[in-house]
């Protein structure tokens, strides 16, 4: 192929997925020159998905905050019935 391939950074997520699928179809049909572009587009798509998932996980973790620690001695002396009732 002599055509210039678009760089993955220049494509949107949908366009990147379409390019990856199209090149993979060509590679599966036996076009040996299609394997490298298919792999490059698929790798770029996976990296984008991982980055967006990581950002979402970090945002959720910072919003929730750490859980309050329970004193170690509560395992030995649990709360009595009167102390468990909260108003």
């Amino acid at each position: 192929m002599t055509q210039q391939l678009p760089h993955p950074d220049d494509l949107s997520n949908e366009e990147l997925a379409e390019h990856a699928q199209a090149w993979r179809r060509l590679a599966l049909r036996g076009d040996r020159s299609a394997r490298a572009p298919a792999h490059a587009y698929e790798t770029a798509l996976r990296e984008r998905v991982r980055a967006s998932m990581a950002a979402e996980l970090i945002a959720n973790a910072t919003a929730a905050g750490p859980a309050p620690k329970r004193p170690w001695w509560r395992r030995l002396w649990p709360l009595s019935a009167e102390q468990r009732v909260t108003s």
Side-chain angles (χ1 to χ4, degrees):
M1 297 221 148
T2 59
Q3 70 183 21
Q4 183 67 22
L5 299 175
H7 194 273
D9 292 341
D10 299 335
L11 301 172
S12 68
N13 289 346
E14 293 80 22
E15 291 172 333
L16 186 58
E18 289 173 10
H19 277 279
Q21 290 172 353
W23 283 101
R24 181 53 62 196
R25 274 195 302 271
L26 287 173
L28 290 173
R29 289 183 183 153
D31 187 353
R32 290 180 184 247
S33 63
R35 184 187 179 281
H39 180 71
Y41 287 133
E42 290 167 345
T43 302
L45 188 60
R46 278 194 305 271
E47 287 174 359
R48 283 191 192 179
V49 169
R50 281 189 200 125
S52 65
M53 287 177 61
E56 184 179 331
L57 288 173
I58 290 171
N60 289 343
T62 56
K69 288 188 78 173
R70 190 174 81 171
W72 65 268
W73 46 267
R74 281 287 177 211
R75 283 181 269 145
L76 301 175
W77 296 283
L79 293 174
S80 64
E82 301 98 31
Q83 291 173 330
R84 278 189 236 148
V85 177
T86 58
S87 300

